[in-house]
Amino acid sequence: MNCIASGPVWRPLIPSTMPEEDVAEFGKDYPLGRPAQPAELAPPYVMLASDDASYISGATITVTSGKPMM
């Protein structure tokens, strides 16, 4: 089984589920200084679903703008 481990991702519900000051800071502590857009997560999912990934197994692909996952 493979998986994608993402950092913060901007979603339309973010502003309605967080205080304004948290929304303004959302994702700023990541290397690119902003949350990912949903479309930026699509490429690794598409790659894992393609025949090109037929020999990939047990992988965790991090999509975190360069911030290490532990």
Side-chain angles (χ1 to χ4, degrees):
M1 177 186 258
N2 301 307
C3 68
I4 305 296
S6 68
V9 180
W10 185 258
R11 295 174 182 89
L13 291 177
I14 294 289
S16 66
T17 60
M18 295 178 153
E20 280 186 45
E21 57 274 4
D22 291 346
V23 172
E25 296 297 315
F26 186 64
K28 287 196 175 182
D29 58 339
Y30 277 71
L32 290 180
R34 63 173 179 79
Q37 293 297 312
E40 294 176 304
L41 273 63
Y45 284 101
V46 170
M47 187 273 299
L48 286 175
S50 75
D51 289 339
D52 293 335
S54 65
Y55 203 67
I56 297 174
S57 180
T60 299
I61 299 175
T62 58
V63 185
T64 61
S65 80
K67 187 170 185 173
M69 299 280 292
M70 293 189 191

